Amino acid sequence: MNTNTVDAKMLSRMFLSGAKNLEAKKEWINELNVFPVPDGDTGTNMTLTIMAAASEVSTLSDPTMKTLAKAISSGSLRGARGNSGVILSQLLRGFTKAIEHHEYVDAMGFAKAFEKGVETAYKAVMKPKEGTILTVAKGAAVKALEIAEHSETLETFFSDVIAEAETVLSRTPEMLPVLKEAGVVDSGGQGLLEVLKGAFDGYMGKEIDMNFERPAHAVVGKPVTAEESDIKFGYCTEFIIMLEKEFSEKDEERFKDYLLSIGDSLVVVADDEIVKVHVHTNAPGDAIQRALTYGQLSNMKIDNMRLEHHERLIKDAEKVAAQQAKAEPKKEVGFISVSVGEGMGDIFRELGADYLIEGGQTMNPSTEDVLQAISHVNAKNIFIFPNNKNIILAANQARDLTEDKNIIVIPTKTIPQGITALISYVPDKTVEQNAEEMLEAMTHVKTGQITYAVRDTKIDDKEIRQGDIMGIGDKGILAVGQGIEDITVETLKEMVDEDTEIISIYYGSDVTEEDAEQLCERLEELYPDFDVEINQGGQPIYYYVVSVE
């Protein structure tokens, strides 16, 4: 290919191809995480982030640069998960701002867009760290500006930029010693490189699957378990689309294919002004969301075929609840907490949390998940406890997108920090005073997490073998060996000091109550002057979460 500009249609193809390449490599990228824990999630977070944007882009039948930019920016912003996903969304946000008003993009246009993306991403991170995805993005942007005027074709331009990104990525272990010790490059930087490589494949005409599904959300609020049924698709969904743009035969086929991918019993009847739709599905919201890309909806009807005899009671109850919520004035303060495990959720509820986002380690919630939680809390001021360092940026992004409520993100990095912060709330004090005291209280909490290694590596001068039990503290590996109880005790020995007063134990879904009580008794013998508390956490992957205060 020997062209010097890219139009919106080609850029759309490139973006979708980049998303697909990242998706294909996500598990490999997960394995690049420094800590060999079973919840390595950089590849997953970046993939879910870009797929949220790709699902928006794939609905554009005839994109302009402006509609494409909006789809990429909005989709990735709301779908962003984890630190790597949020940074990727900011790179895309800055990139799209630079190209949205152009009809075509040439090498210099791409270079300036890369530069704007890097600038936007660096601003979004409070303390940017070199040797990460940011460094790889910056290296690629600098190279792009350097060669843009002299590149004969976009093909050579893209090739040279990608080669520079690879070179910078290979140097990340020299910038971050922890990467060098673990023998890996930065996983976020690798993810960005795969997006660039995939985009280049799209530019060069490589065949890609253009079908995209919107990523599932983290579980927001208390999960509801549906009854078992012989009906495969439980919701009879009907509506009329009042078309606001052309609905071609190709659009109709694409729409039908999508609906059949999430349901059956499909009937779609279209004319120049409206489209009548009937489908049985387990995801009526997804069907409606896709339909909204073509126009406004009317005559909407959703029947639960499994629970049809209860439907009227449910609808009446929902109406009453909605009317009551609308009539009630906003309370002054509300609380949202990220949690994982039934026991952990119960603790937060008892402490006054209004809404829980079930996510945590194994599934980082997206910005959109946090926004949904905010919409459910009827309060003027809402405290959010991310309880995971990989969720703080997504919570901050949701805060910045909220206009009608005052959102205060308390940057708790662990569940115990979140519990302590929430306990510190005093109703008689101002929001500002409470925020200050929560921030102070969480600094006195040390957290340890006990899990198993999924691969061989070396970290903090500790040799780790696949299957070893590890105790991970706030700043690194504290203990490695065999025996869950022994490693938990060793981990706590590294955490306690002369200021320690309380040891809290939260046992996970893979630990019996008897084993947890046995550990508690052992700790009470070792530390007779400390209060040792035991709680059922129910968290997956981590046998124990422990804290000292």
Side-chain angles (χ1 to χ4, degrees):
M1 183 173 292
N2 191 30
T3 58
N4 292 316
T5 61
V6 163
D7 62 9
K9 188 173 182 180
M10 173 55 78
L11 188 58
S12 173
R13 176 183 175 82
M14 292 171 65
F15 178 76
L16 294 177
S17 182
K20 279 293 186 182
N21 195 53
L22 176 60
E23 181 184 41
K25 305 290 179 53
K26 69 177 179 182
E27 292 303 332
W28 171 55
I29 295 168
N30 283 341
E31 293 173 5
L32 293 176
N33 275 15
V34 171
F35 290 125
V37 293
D39 64 344
D41 53 10
T42 299
T44 299
N45 283 336
M46 293 184 73
T47 297
L48 290 171
T49 298
I50 203 168
M51 282 299 174
S55 68
E56 299 284 341
V57 171
S58 64
T59 65
L60 302 175
S61 57
D62 188 20
T64 64
M65 207 66 80
K66 188 169 184 178
T67 59
L68 177 62
K70 182 179 179 181
I72 293 173
S73 179
S74 177
S76 62
L77 196 67
R78 290 178 172 272
R81 299 174 191 261
N83 292 346
S84 55
V86 171
I87 292 171
L88 177 60
S89 75
Q90 292 296 322
L91 288 169
L92 293 171
R93 182 187 181 198
F95 180 93
T96 56
K97 278 186 176 295
I99 57 98
E100 63 181 345
H101 298 300
H102 297 272
E103 188 174 354
Y104 299 96
V105 185
D106 59 10
M108 183 55 72
F110 275 107
K112 290 181 178 179
F114 290 155
E115 182 183 42
K116 184 64 174 177
V118 170
E119 177 188 328
T120 304
Y122 267 86
K123 285 181 179 178
V125 180
M126 188 166 294
K127 295 181 180 179
K129 185 183 293 186
E130 297 304 329
T132 65
I133 180 176
L134 290 170
T135 309
V136 176
K138 183 169 67 175
V142 169
K143 185 67 173 181
L145 281 169
E146 177 187 319
I147 66 174
E149 289 185 2
H150 310 293
S151 296
E152 294 183 1
T153 66
L154 279 178
E155 181 179 343
T156 57
F157 171 77
F158 291 141
S159 295
D160 290 345
V161 170
I162 290 171
E164 180 67 13
E166 286 184 296
T167 299
V168 176
L169 178 65
S170 70
R171 295 184 188 136
T172 55
E174 302 302 323
M175 303 177 202
L176 284 176
V178 68
L179 295 175
K180 188 172 185 178
E181 189 178 23
V184 295
V185 296
D186 178 68
S187 54
Q190 185 70 60
L192 178 61
L193 179 62
E194 297 310 321
V195 173
L196 295 175
K197 286 183 173 181
F200 185 51
D201 286 342
Y203 176 76
M204 296 301 294
K206 183 177 179 179
E207 286 297 319
I208 58 171
D209 177 7
M210 302 294 276
N211 293 315
F212 287 81
E213 301 295 336
R214 175 171 290 277
H217 291 298
V219 179
V220 182
K222 186 177 180 181
V224 179
T225 305
E227 294 181 7
E228 291 294 322
S229 173
D230 294 330
I231 300 174
K232 184 177 180 182
F233 297 105
Y235 295 93
C236 177
T237 305
E238 298 179 63
F239 50 81
I240 292 174
I241 308 173
M242 296 178 289
L243 294 172
E244 295 178 338
K245 62 181 181 180
E246 181 183 359
F247 190 74
S248 64
E249 290 184 4
K250 188 175 181 181
D251 291 329
E252 183 176 346
E253 287 304 313
R254 186 182 292 123
F255 185 48
K256 286 179 178 177
D257 288 342
Y258 174 77
L259 293 177
L260 285 173
S261 74
I262 62 170
D264 62 10
S265 301
L266 177 64
V267 178
V268 175
V269 180
D271 64 17
D272 293 338
E273 297 181 355
I274 67 169
V275 181
K276 171 73 174 177
V277 179
H278 171 280
V279 64
H280 291 177
T281 177
N282 288 328
D286 290 350
I288 288 169
Q289 190 168 30
R290 180 59 63 94
L292 283 168
T293 64
Y294 299 108
Q296 297 184 45
L297 305 187
S298 68
N299 293 51
M300 297 171 64
K301 183 170 179 284
I302 301 173
D303 293 328
N304 187 332
M305 296 182 293
R306 294 191 182 100
L307 302 173
E308 198 164 1
H309 59 290
H310 288 153
E311 184 180 322
R312 180 50 53 193
L313 291 175
I314 293 172
K315 286 186 176 180
D316 288 346
E318 288 177 344
K319 284 181 180 179
V320 171
Q323 289 168 355
Q324 289 176 342
K326 192 173 182 179
E328 290 175 2
K330 285 183 178 180
K331 60 181 182 177
E332 280 300 314
V333 178
F335 304 97
I336 295 171
S337 177
V338 176
S339 182
V340 56
E342 185 177 346
M344 294 291 196
D346 289 342
I347 292 170
F348 279 112
R349 290 187 190 95
E350 289 169 5
L351 292 175
D354 295 282
Y355 219 81
L356 298 182
I357 305 174
E358 296 284 350
Q361 295 285 6
T362 54
M363 171 61 85
N364 293 155
S366 67
T367 299
E368 180 69 22
D369 293 326
V370 181
L371 287 169
Q372 284 187 25
I374 289 171
S375 71
H376 281 84
V377 178
N378 189 31
K380 297 176 183 177
N381 304 282
I382 301 175
F383 286 94
I384 299 180
F385 307 99
N387 300 334
N388 185 313
K389 66 180 180 181
N390 213 26
I391 301 174
I392 294 172
L393 284 181
N396 287 341
Q397 200 151 265
R399 174 199 62 202
D400 295 341
L401 291 169
T402 301
E403 298 179 352
D404 61 336
K405 298 172 183 177
N406 179 35
I407 307 301
I408 308 97
V409 177
I410 304 298
T412 50
K413 296 180 179 178
T414 65
I415 292 281
Q417 281 189 350
I419 290 171
T420 296
L422 189 49
I423 289 173
S424 302
Y425 176 75
V426 178
D428 293 338
K429 294 185 177 180
T430 66
V431 169
E432 293 74 20
Q433 288 172 329
N434 272 299
E436 187 176 331
E437 295 194 8
M438 287 176 179
L439 290 170
E440 169 64 19
M442 61 182 266
T443 64
H444 299 294
V445 181
K446 299 178 186 177
T447 304
Q449 301 178 93
I450 314 302
T451 187
Y452 59 92
V454 295
R455 58 179 166 83
D456 296 350
T457 190
K458 182 180 179 182
I459 302 175
D460 299 335
D461 293 324
K462 293 181 173 63
E463 294 288 342
I464 301 171
R465 301 298 178 200
Q466 182 176 347
D468 280 352
I469 305 300
M470 302 182 297
I472 305 173
D474 294 324
K475 296 182 179 179
I477 304 290
L478 299 180
V480 178
Q482 298 298 314
I484 296 171
E485 182 179 306
D486 289 342
I487 295 303
T488 305
V489 172
E490 285 186 40
T491 300
L492 282 164
K493 284 180 180 178
E494 295 293 322
M495 295 169 61
V496 299
D497 56 29
E498 65 275 7
D499 296 324
T500 300
E501 297 177 356
I502 302 171
I503 296 176
S504 299
I505 309 293
Y506 305 89
Y507 62 93
S509 57
D510 294 324
V511 175
T512 65
E513 184 177 358
E514 291 74 21
D515 286 341
E517 288 176 347
Q518 180 176 305
L519 170 65
C520 185
E521 290 172 4
R522 183 172 171 183
L523 291 172
E524 287 173 337
E525 291 178 7
L526 283 170
Y527 304 107
D529 297 330
F530 300 164
D531 290 331
V532 180
E533 300 176 348
I534 184 170
N535 303 276
Q536 191 268 329
Q539 70 274 5
I541 296 178
Y542 291 86
Y543 301 114
Y544 290 104
V545 173
V546 298
S547 69
V548 300
E549 298 179 60

